[in-house]
């Protein structure tokens, strides 16, 4: 029986999706306004803002409709890659009989083409915003842990946003901040990260070292 779990956010933690999302934002703005927009034209901190806010700043008057029409097509032209070291770390966790999962704000119907197959094959569960209330609510983490039958006290969650840290704390899961993501380390610390991870090579069995040891049986 699996007794421990490592859960992850996708964007900015497992997936280097920042360039793809910036390209998609620029493409949607171009389609709507008729003016060529490039990633260099995006406002500062675009990845940390809601996409509707960014598109509004770029002159898109109805960002929700624009995303319904063009977002997936634009995103599919610049798919993300897995951060270096992530697959090696996940393989080490799996070899240690650790359950692996992701809790993401991505849409469920996007995952079949958005996630690289090598990553999909390693995840036991993926919870999207269609499956449970979105982070910072803890529901998605609880849903993931229920599927792999692991208690919150024996799980970690690696995220790159304050909302990720809030969700982990509310779920009773050890909150670990990924400093290679989209938010500064200070924001993760303030939001309650127990530890800050400096780069993706720290994904591995060492994530579980701070959990309460499992009693010998």
């Amino acid at each position: 029986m699996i007794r421990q779990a490592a859960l992850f956010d996708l964007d900015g933690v497992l997936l280097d999706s920042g360039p793809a999302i910036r390209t998609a934002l620029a493409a949607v703005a171009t389609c709507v306004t008729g003016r060529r927009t490039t990633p260099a034209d995006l406002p500062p901190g675009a990845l940390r803002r809601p996409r509707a806010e960014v598109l509004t700043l770029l002159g898109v008057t109805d960002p929700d409709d624009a995303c319904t029409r063009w977002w997936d097509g634009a995103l599919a032209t610049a798919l993300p890659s897995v951060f270096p070291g992530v697959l090696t770390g996940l393989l080490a966790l799996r070899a240690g009989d650790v359950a692996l999962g992701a809790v993401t704000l991505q849409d469920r119907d996007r995952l079949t083409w958005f996630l690289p197959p090598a990553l999909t094959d390693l995840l036991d569960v993926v919870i999207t915003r269609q499956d449970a209330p979105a982070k910072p609510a803890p529901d998605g983490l609880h849903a993931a842990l229920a599927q792999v039958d692991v208690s919150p006290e024996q799980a970690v969650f690696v995220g790159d946003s304050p909302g990720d840290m809030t969700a982990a704390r509310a779920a009773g899961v050890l909150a670990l901040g990924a400093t290679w993501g989209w938010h500064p380390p200070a924001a993760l610390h303030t939001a309650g990260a127990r530890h800050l991870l400096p780069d993706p090579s720290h994904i591995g069995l060492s994530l579980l070292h701070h959990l309460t040891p499992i009693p010998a049986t």
Side-chain angles (χ1 to χ4, degrees):
M1 175 180 174
I2 295 174
R3 301 292 299 279
Q4 293 180 311
L7 305 178
F8 303 87
D9 183 28
L10 284 178
D11 295 297
V13 177
L14 299 182
L15 291 178
D16 187 8
S17 53
I21 291 174
R22 289 174 62 85
T23 296
L25 287 166
V28 170
T30 298
C31 290
V32 175
T33 66
R35 300 187 305 272
R36 177 166 173 76
T37 304
T38 71
D41 299 319
L42 301 184
L47 294 178
R48 297 192 294 271
R49 300 184 181 196
R51 68 182 182 185
E53 177 184 325
V54 174
L55 291 171
T56 298
L57 291 172
L58 293 172
V60 177
T61 56
D62 190 345
D64 291 334
D65 177 70
C67 287
T68 297
R69 291 172 179 269
W70 288 299
W71 181 260
D72 279 2
L75 188 61
T77 64
L79 291 176
S81 59
V82 180
F83 278 111
V86 163
L87 294 179
T88 299
L90 294 181
L91 284 168
L93 286 162
R94 179 173 284 282
D97 290 330
V98 177
L100 301 177
V103 182
T104 177
L105 298 180
Q106 290 287 351
D107 290 341
R108 167 66 59 182
D109 58 6
R110 187 178 299 140
L111 297 184
T112 55
W113 52 264
F114 187 72
L115 291 186
L119 178 59
T120 301
D121 291 345
L122 291 174
L123 297 175
D124 298 298
V125 57
V126 178
I127 300 296
T128 72
R129 61 182 179 178
Q130 279 79 37
D131 304 317
K135 299 171 293 184
D139 305 62
L141 277 72
H142 285 152
L145 293 175
Q147 288 198 31
V148 296
D149 194 24
V150 175
S151 68
E153 295 79 13
Q154 293 300 330
V156 302
F157 181 61
V158 182
D160 73 318
S161 74
D164 289 336
M165 301 300 97
T166 299
R169 293 182 63 195
V173 172
L174 183 69
L176 301 176
T179 62
W180 60 90
W182 300 351
H183 294 263
L188 301 178
H189 178 75
T190 299
R194 184 74 64 85
H195 303 281
L196 297 177
L197 308 177
D199 59 68
S201 69
H202 283 72
I203 291 176
L205 286 170
S206 61
L207 295 181
L208 307 176
H209 288 174
H210 300 287
L211 293 175
T212 303
I214 301 174
T217 57

